[in-house]
């Protein structure tokens, strides 16, 4: 039986980041990806400055990505276009990088670092009692359905980077926490003469077909290659979420942005996917979960690529440092880095699930330049509970205030 230091289930940004980092430091790494080389992923393709910082840390050449200077926020009749601030912590620009190309660049970097990559291979954890001791792998067909005989591979650490919870998560008890927030979003691409725009555009005042305010946003993310990524996303805390028709919402958003962006027809059928924002467990004996598999998506902007990259690097570094303590230290360090901020985000999502609060909050969020700058910092993922300055103070206050209000917010949740 083949034996490796680290087996990684999933070859998205999180799995690739872990593989790059561990292989560069001399670990034997194998990555299993259900899809083919160059597979696509339903996404907005937006990279915040924080994500660009993480890609830099991985030494990924970003010449193929479209550079973004800031964010244009639209709420009702107000539009504010702001550049990302220059901070000591993150670069002052973001990017749009279509996932087919971004993910390929990352997984190719993992291969170049010495990791073995097996595409069209579905891997499931092998359990010995409650301990994961490696994976069982089967080749997949074009539809990613497992075919052929299974092969077992032993690993000291199995990293679950399989995206939103599916079979692997069910086997490990790492599914979403019932009643917690999650997101759904849909996207397509269209041609536009404005593909070279240097700002992401987010329309914060979305409504469903009944005119109810939707906690979420519509986006136009110009890709610099003749196309724009167009999409809408919503949080599960809104009333009527289960009946929300994302295709209809995308169609009406498209009608709103069509004149300004002069977009052509959809270049592909709009596709929707989940954004997980919680997990019951992110570690267990022999395994850790990273990226979406660990519920690491920001409820305030739907960003998950950065967290995937950061958590992947962290898991790899801790394994290299000491394989005996990686599980406990990873759990603690992910907690320290992300838990408080993401918890604030989830609480916030219950608040804006109430249409009245959302409508008035939106007006406020872009009402003055300084308040809009705080909204920018939140939307751009430039702020967390440790950020200094006004945005950091607002975040700190929000954490305390929303913490107190949390039981009430959940009890009076708008969702139906
Ligand atoms: C519509 C939409 C728009 C979004 N827009 C943005 C955005 O603009 N910016 C942003 O930062 N984030 C965005 N996100 C979130 C972002 O796409 C995810 O957070 C990100 O892809 C997480 O990366 P990951 O590596 O954890 O998971 P994934 O990218 O989902 O990769 C997981 C991989 O694991 C593979 N896999 C699953 N199970 C197995 C198995 N058993 N064996 C082998 N392989 C397996 C899958 O095929 C997949 O390739 C968006 C999400 C959606 C749905």
């Amino acid at each position: 039986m083949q034996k490796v230091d680290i087996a990684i289930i999933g070859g998205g940004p999180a799995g690739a980041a872990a593989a790059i980092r561990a292989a560069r430091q001399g670990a034997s790494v194998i990555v299993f990806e259900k899809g083919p080389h160059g597979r696509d992923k339903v996404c907005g393709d937006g990279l915040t400055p924080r994500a660009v910082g993480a890609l830099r840390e991985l030494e990924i050449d970003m010449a193929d990505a479209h550079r973004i200077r800031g964010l244009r926020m639209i709420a009702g009749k107000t539009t504010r276009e702001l550049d990302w601030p220059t901070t000591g912590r993150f670069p002052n620009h973001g990017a749009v990088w279509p996932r087919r190309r971004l993910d390929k660049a990352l997984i190719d970097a993992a291969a170049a670092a010495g990791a073995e990559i097996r595409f069209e291979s579905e891997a499931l954890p092998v359990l010995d009692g409650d301990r994961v001791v490696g994976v069982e792998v089967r080749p997949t067909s074009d539809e990613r359905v497992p075919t052929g005989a299974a092969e077992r591979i032993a690993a000291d650490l199995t990293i679950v980077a399989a995206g939103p919870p599916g079979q692997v998560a069910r086997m490990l008890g790492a599914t979403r926490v019932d009643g917690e927030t999650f997101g759904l979003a849909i996207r397509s691409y269209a041609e536009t003469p404005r593909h070279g725009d240097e700002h992401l555009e987010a329309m914060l005042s979305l409504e469903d077909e009944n005119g109810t305010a939707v906690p979420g946003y519509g986006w136009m993310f110009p890709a610099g290659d003749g196309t724009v990524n167009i999409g809408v996303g919503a949080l599960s805390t809104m009333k009527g979420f289960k009946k929300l028709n994302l295709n209809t919402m995308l169609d009406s958003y498209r009608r709103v942005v069509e004149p300004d962006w002069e977009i052509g027809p959809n270049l592909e059928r709009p596709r929707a996917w989940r954004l997980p924002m919680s997990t019951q467990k992110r570690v267990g004996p022999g395994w850790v979960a990273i990226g979406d598999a660990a519920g690491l998506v920001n409820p305030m902007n739907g960003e998950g690529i950065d967290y995937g990259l950061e958590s992947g690097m962290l898991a790899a570094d801790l394994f290299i440092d000491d394989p005996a303590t990686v599980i406990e230290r990873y759990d603690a360090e992910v907690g320290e880095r992300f838990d408080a901020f993401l918890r604030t985000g989830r609480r916030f999502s219950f608040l804006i699930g109430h249409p009245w609060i959302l409508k008035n909050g939106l007006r406020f969020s872009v009402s003055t330049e300084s308040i809009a700058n705080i909204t920018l910092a939140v939307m751009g993922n430039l702020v967390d509970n440790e950020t200094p300055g006004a945005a950091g103070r607002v975040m700190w206050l929000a954490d305390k205030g929303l913490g107190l209000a949390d039981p009430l917010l959940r009890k009076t949740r708008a969702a139906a």
Side-chain angles (χ1 to χ4, degrees), residues 115-397:
E116 180 183 343
I117 318 287
R118 293 219 206 148
F119 295 103
E120 298 180 44
S121 301
E122 184 187 70
L124 296 175
V126 174
L127 285 147
D128 180 4
D130 67 347
R131 182 171 197 85
V132 174
V133 291
V135 294
E136 188 166 86
V137 189
R138 276 197 175 83
T140 56
S141 65
D142 282 356
E143 290 79 37
R144 303 192 187 183
V145 178
T147 54
E151 177 193 350
R152 280 198 172 190
I153 289 159
D156 288 338
L157 177 68
T158 297
I159 297 185
V160 179
Q167 195 180 352
V168 179
R170 285 193 295 277
M171 287 175 74
L172 300 174
T175 48
R176 174 172 71 82
V177 179
D178 265 354
E180 263 303 353
T181 313
F182 63 96
L184 279 179
I186 189 166
R187 72 96 174 95
S188 186
Y189 293 95
E191 285 181 20
T192 172
R194 289 179 56 190
H195 65 100
D197 258 30
E198 290 180 319
H199 286 82
L200 302 176
E201 182 171 296
M203 182 174 289
L204 307 175
S205 40
L206 272 190
E207 289 183 349
D208 69 6
E209 53 209 281
N210 307 315
T212 307
V214 173
Y217 63 96
W219 70 80
M220 298 297 279
F221 288 177
D225 58 359
T227 71
V228 60
N229 183 314
I230 171 173
V232 295
L235 291 168
S236 62
T237 52
M238 71 174 278
K239 189 170 166 60
F241 180 73
K242 283 187 187 142
K243 291 196 198 120
L244 190 69
N245 185 328
L246 285 175
N247 276 292
T248 312
M249 217 162 81
L250 181 62
D251 284 347
S252 51
Y253 175 61
R254 174 178 240 289
R255 283 193 291 277
V256 174
V257 292
E258 217 155 25
D260 275 354
W261 285 80
E262 299 173 60
I263 43 176
N266 286 336
L267 291 172
E268 56 179 75
R269 181 177 57 82
R271 283 198 289 151
W273 197 230
R274 287 169 287 148
L275 293 107
M277 294 167 181
S278 67
T279 179
Q280 302 196 34
K281 252 197 233 176
R282 61 183 167 223
V283 301
W287 66 275
V288 300
I290 60 177
D292 276 19
L296 296 176
V297 174
N298 183 345
M300 290 194 258
N301 63 3
E303 181 187 29
I305 297 171
D306 169 69
Y307 299 106
L309 299 172
E310 287 193 41
S311 57
M313 286 191 271
L314 181 64
D317 288 352
L318 293 173
F319 177 86
I320 298 291
D321 192 48
D322 182 8
T325 57
V326 54
I327 313 284
E328 295 74 26
R329 285 175 69 202
Y330 173 78
D331 196 26
E333 290 196 27
V334 164
E336 253 166 53
R337 206 184 289 187
F338 304 124
D339 278 356
F341 175 65
L342 295 180
R343 187 186 58 220
T344 308
R346 287 196 298 270
R347 287 173 173 166
F348 181 72
S349 73
F350 280 97
L351 187 70
I352 61 172
H354 293 275
W356 184 88
I357 297 178
L358 175 59
K359 272 201 162 150
N360 288 289
L362 276 178
R363 244 176 254 149
F364 180 69
S365 68
V366 292
S367 54
T368 68
E369 179 105 358
S370 8
I371 293 171
N373 264 312
I374 294 175
T375 312
L376 173 81
V378 171
M379 291 292 292
N381 202 8
L382 300 168
V383 58
D384 54 27
N385 298 62
E386 268 134 50
T387 309
R393 278 199 299 281
V394 167
M395 218 48 221
W396 186 86
L397 277 173

